[in-house]
């Protein structure tokens, strides 16, 4: 099969509606917010350390997006996420790196059968008509503090999943 053509970078940029919240202390407040939210999406950025996440991003249907430091004790947050249905995208590697739980993930990548394992960038372009810049995907996610650009990039990967799910529903 030939490679998919590149995504049109001239599309309008996909952007966050607000600023993400960096969490580098207690994940309890994020876990509590997950429990009460109607819809939740998550994504991870990977550490250079094998089998570890550098961040876990959590987007809620009320517009809040949290970027959580992966060096924290993530158990309370993972417990809250895995106790409910959550949205993800190509989550196989994410779940391998997070504490083991019995997850109920709606992997939106599986809803897009036109391509085998399509990139999030491609799906956002085709479904929402917007461009997701992936230039920071392989940046140094272990360095602290993260740049504001890294925080927005990471948060967008989770937040856009809520918009994709809504678009799939129409």
């Amino acid at each position: 099969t030939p490679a998919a053509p590149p995504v049109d970078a001239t599309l309008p940029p996909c952007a966050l509606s607000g600023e993400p919240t960096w969490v580098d202390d207690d994940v309890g407040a994020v876990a509590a917010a997950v429990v009460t939210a109607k819809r939740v999406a998550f994504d991870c950025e990977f550490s250079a350390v094998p089998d570890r996440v550098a961040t876990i991003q959590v987007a809620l249907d009320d517009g809040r997006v949290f970027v959580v430091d992966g060096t924290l004790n993530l158990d309370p947050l993972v417990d809250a996420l895995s106790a409910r249905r959550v949205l993800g995208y190509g989550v196989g590697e994410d779940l391998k790196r997070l504490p083991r739980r019995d997850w109920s993930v709606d992997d939106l990548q599986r809803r897009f059968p036109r391509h085998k394992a399509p990139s999030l960038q491609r799906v956002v372009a085709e479904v929402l008509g917007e461009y997701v810049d992936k230039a920071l995907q392989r940046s140094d996610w272990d360095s602290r503090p993260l740049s504001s650009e890294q925080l927005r990039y990471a948060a967008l990967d989770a937040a856009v999943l809520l918009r994709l799910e809504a678009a799939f529903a129409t």
Side-chain angles (χ1 to χ4, degrees):
T1 1
V7 173
D8 182 0
T10 63
L11 289 170
C14 187
L16 285 175
S17 59
E19 287 299 312
T21 300
W22 171 244
V23 179
D24 63 354
D25 47 14
D26 180 23
V27 300
V30 181
V34 164
V35 169
T36 60
K38 289 186 177 93
R39 293 171 43 237
V40 178
F42 86 101
D43 185 53
C44 298
E45 301 305 329
F46 299 144
S47 170
V49 177
D51 300 322
R52 204 186 97 206
V53 297
T55 65
I56 182 168
Q57 300 86 252
V58 178
L60 308 178
D61 59 316
D62 65 6
R64 291 181 291 166
V65 185
F66 301 96
V67 180
V68 179
D69 189 338
T71 65
L72 298 173
N73 174 9
L74 297 176
D75 283 327
L77 178 56
V78 171
D79 288 344
L81 288 167
S82 63
R84 59 167 304 140
R85 176 187 168 274
V86 293
L87 300 173
Y89 195 89
V91 298
E93 192 62 31
D94 298 33
L95 297 180
K96 286 180 191 173
R97 292 174 181 240
L98 290 168
R100 294 203 186 281
R101 299 294 189 278
D102 184 19
W103 289 79
S104 175
V105 179
D106 186 354
D107 188 339
L108 296 181
Q109 189 178 51
R110 294 185 181 154
R111 291 200 206 175
F112 205 77
R114 281 179 255 174
H115 306 287
K116 182 179 178 185
S119 70
L120 180 60
Q121 184 184 56
R122 176 162 307 285
V123 171
V124 169
E126 291 189 15
V127 175
L128 301 178
E130 297 175 357
Y131 179 72
V132 175
D133 185 349
K134 300 300 277 183
L136 293 176
Q137 183 174 30
R138 301 215 183 272
S139 64
D140 182 358
W141 292 103
D142 290 314
S143 69
R144 298 294 184 264
L146 294 177
S147 69
S148 59
E149 292 82 11
Q150 284 177 302
L151 288 173
R152 282 192 299 277
Y153 169 89
L156 183 62
D157 270 3
V160 75
L161 299 179
L162 296 170
R163 293 182 53 213
L164 279 175
E165 182 196 40
F168 284 140
T170 59

